[in-house]
Amino acid sequence: MDVMKPMIEEAEKDLLHTYNRYQIVLDHGDGVYLYDANGKKYLDFCAGIAVFALGYNNREYNDALKAQIDKLLHTSNYFYNEPAIRAAHLLKEVSGMDRVFFTNSGAESIEGALKAAIKYAYTKDGGQHHEIIAMEHSFHGRTYGALSVTGNAHYREAFGTMPCDVKFATFNDLDSVKALVSEQTAGIILEPVQGEGGLTPATFEFLEGCRKICDDAGCLLILDEVQCGMGRTGSWYAWQRYGVKPDIMATAKALGCGVPVGAFLLTEEVAQHSLVPGDHGTTYGGNPFATVAVAKVLELYRKDHIIEHVTKITPYFEEKLDGIVAKYDCVAERRGAGLMQGLYFDRPVGALITDMMDHGLITINAGSNILRFVPPLIITKENIDEMISILDPAIERFSGSPR
Ligand SMILES: Cc1ncc(COP(=O)(O)O)c(C=O)c1O
């Protein structure tokens, strides 16, 4: 019996239609597998869009959350709470940044990061620096500030004047950034590996060059690690593999592994000259329920050697995806870093994704022609083999034939 259909009909009557959802009601998860309400099993190479790094139903994580529920869920930021203190301490350790502000999402982390950068400029020069340089094809979230630095005009088009003064440069083209830097520049924001924009890693020269531009111009480098952070590319934060440290950094997604939480982090220099009491706040941000999740996630990453695992398994994942590129004419290239990979097709991949879902594999797109893989970070070689055993025949059905 299909129990999903009536639920979906109900949902379509009640929920605002801002997503074209797959016709699936997910019910529960275990490890790297999800189960729908009819009991069908799916191998998950999407992980709730790069969120469920530790996989579903991790016992230690669940127990930590359950214990906190019975203790204290929320305090407001008028008070301290122990999980937030622990989470902030651990987050500082793994990131190498100095100050933490907890938020409820990636977009909110970007909002805070932008406010901190603009306030820093205001503190330093009375507000002459107020422009932000962002990248074409970037994605930073759907709230107004985050939207204003998102390099996809279509997302901004209907929403009028944006709150930030933003100029867009070309990702990985240092000259295009240099051409935009002026007296007014407060900061440069970018993703070290662009996610929605096509799984494109920044070149070392580009990231290092942006750092130098900021140092020379006296403005701030803001790195959005919402998708590429938390071990996804083989280091806690992607910038650490480049050795190019930001002044402000945004994180979210896998930070809570399912609990909605994010953070923006600052160097001490920026913290001392930017946001002060009255400048920024949130009711829920950093509450004990969210931060017990953060602390447990960071502890489990360390205990289970998640970063080392990503580094170790990445070459196998890349090799298997490269095999697909070599086999099919319709797949032009693979792009990405670590367990954040994309296959570039010569046509829209929507039908392919749906077909693979029918065959028990969950993936997502990035733009219309790119098939994106952001699996739980605990995947094994066997999981990769299983994924390829569904992907390969699906592409054959989709494209007609191999190369
Ligand atoms: C790089 C990046 N920044 C920011 C965001 C926004 O995060 P959230 O959806 O949690 O608001 C996303 C979401 O996909 C993202 O990929």
Side-chain angles (χ1 to χ4, degrees):
M1 197 180 96
D2 183 3
V3 299
M4 300 198 295
K5 199 162 178 282
M7 284 196 248
I8 292 168
E9 281 167 7
E10 186 70 30
E12 286 305 327
K13 277 189 236 146
D14 298 338
L15 295 172
L16 185 65
H17 190 80
T18 52
Y19 301 101
N20 290 318
R21 295 174 211 263
Y22 296 107
Q23 298 299 292
I24 294 172
V25 180
L26 289 173
D27 183 69
H28 63 281
D30 198 29
V32 297
Y33 294 97
L34 280 167
Y35 297 81
D36 71 22
N38 287 342
K40 182 174 167 179
K41 183 179 178 182
Y42 302 84
L43 175 64
D44 182 18
F45 267 60
C46 168
I49 320 183
V51 167
F52 255 96
L54 298 169
Y56 301 95
N57 205 17
N58 180 295
R59 200 43 43 217
E60 281 181 67
Y61 171 84
N62 289 1
D63 287 346
L65 261 59
K66 285 177 194 164
Q68 192 62 43
I69 287 172
D70 288 335
K71 210 171 162 193
L72 184 64
L73 276 178
H74 182 72
T75 58
S76 90
N77 281 306
Y78 286 119
F79 303 94
Y80 298 96
N81 72 76
E82 193 272 332
I85 296 166
R86 197 152 37 95
H89 183 77
L90 288 170
L91 196 49
K92 274 180 53 173
E93 269 184 9
V94 303
S95 68
M97 302 295 286
D98 299 317
R99 296 274 170 173
V100 182
F101 184 102
F102 286 113
T103 68
N104 308 288
S105 67
E108 274 181 69
S109 302
I110 298 296
E111 296 290 330
L114 293 171
K115 279 180 74 176
I118 289 170
K119 180 70 195 296
Y120 179 83
Y122 179 86
T123 308
K124 288 264 164 167
D125 70 8
Q128 288 166 46
H129 292 47
H130 49 76
E131 275 180 12
I132 300 286
I133 297 175
M135 301 300 141
E136 281 157 12
H137 304 297
S138 62
F139 184 83
H140 299 289
R142 301 298 196 141
T143 53
Y144 257 106
L147 194 58
S148 54
V149 288
T150 288
N152 180 337
H154 172 70
Y155 290 160
R156 299 192 306 269
E157 191 183 307
F159 298 103
T161 310
M162 293 286 128
C164 295
D165 258 333
V166 183
K167 290 186 168 156
F168 288 97
T170 307
F171 192 62
N172 278 338
D173 177 352
L174 208 51
D175 287 339
S176 77
V177 180
K178 282 181 190 155
L180 297 179
V181 177
S182 74
E183 293 277 279
Q184 276 86 49
T185 310
I188 300 176
I189 184 167
L190 64 104
E191 300 152 82
V193 183
Q194 284 196 333
E196 311 290 315
L199 294 303
T200 312
T203 61
F204 174 73
E205 294 71 32
F206 184 67
L207 202 56
E208 196 196 33
C210 285
R211 175 71 274 174
K212 189 165 181 323
I213 289 172
C214 288
D215 291 342
D216 293 348
C219 65
L220 302 180
L221 180 64
I222 309 163
L223 294 184
D224 180 344
E225 292 266 355
V226 169
Q227 190 164 157
C228 62
M230 285 302 290
R232 186 147 292 280
T233 69
S235 53
W236 281 99
Y237 287 99
W239 63 260
Q240 292 165 336
R241 289 187 309 118
Y242 295 81
V244 175
K245 189 175 175 180
D247 301 294
I248 305 176
M249 183 192 104
T251 179
K253 288 195 186 274
L255 182 66
C257 277
V259 168
V261 59
F264 62 94
L265 292 94
L266 320 169
T267 60
E268 193 62 27
E269 159 65 17
V270 178
Q272 289 306 328
H273 301 93
S274 60
L275 303 175
V276 296
D279 279 340
H280 199 57
T282 156
T283 299
Y284 271 128
N287 86 9
F289 183 67
T291 51
V292 89
V294 173
K296 186 48 80 178
V297 165
L298 297 174
E299 283 165 18
L300 287 171
Y301 263 62
R302 278 184 166 160
K303 182 172 88 58
D304 297 341
H305 307 290
I306 297 293
I307 310 284
E308 294 81 348
H309 176 70
V310 173
T311 310
K312 231 167 110 187
I313 198 126
T314 293
Y316 189 74
F317 190 34
E318 290 180 339
E319 180 196 318
K320 291 290 161 181
L321 291 177
D322 287 343
I324 294 289
V325 177
K327 186 167 176 185
Y328 292 100
D329 269 340
C330 63
V331 191
E333 63 168 318
R334 171 185 65 78
R335 270 196 209 169
L339 296 185
M340 180 176 178
Q341 298 283 344
L343 291 181
Y344 277 58
F345 282 73
D346 64 0
R347 64 197 81 176
V349 293
L352 175 66
I353 291 174
T354 310
D355 178 52
M356 290 196 292
M357 240 172 253
D358 289 344
H359 289 81
L361 173 66
I362 297 181
T363 55
I364 35 165
N365 61 312
S368 68
N369 289 20
I370 305 165
L371 184 63
R372 177 169 31 158
F373 304 88
V374 279
L377 302 185
I378 57 166
I379 54 160
T380 60
K381 284 187 174 178
E382 290 70 35
N383 298 144
I384 293 170
D385 291 344
E386 187 185 352
M387 181 276 285
I388 295 288
S389 78
I390 300 173
L391 173 69
D392 191 340
I395 299 180
E396 191 155 344
R397 284 192 294 278
F398 176 64
S399 70
S401 67
R403 203 179 282 278

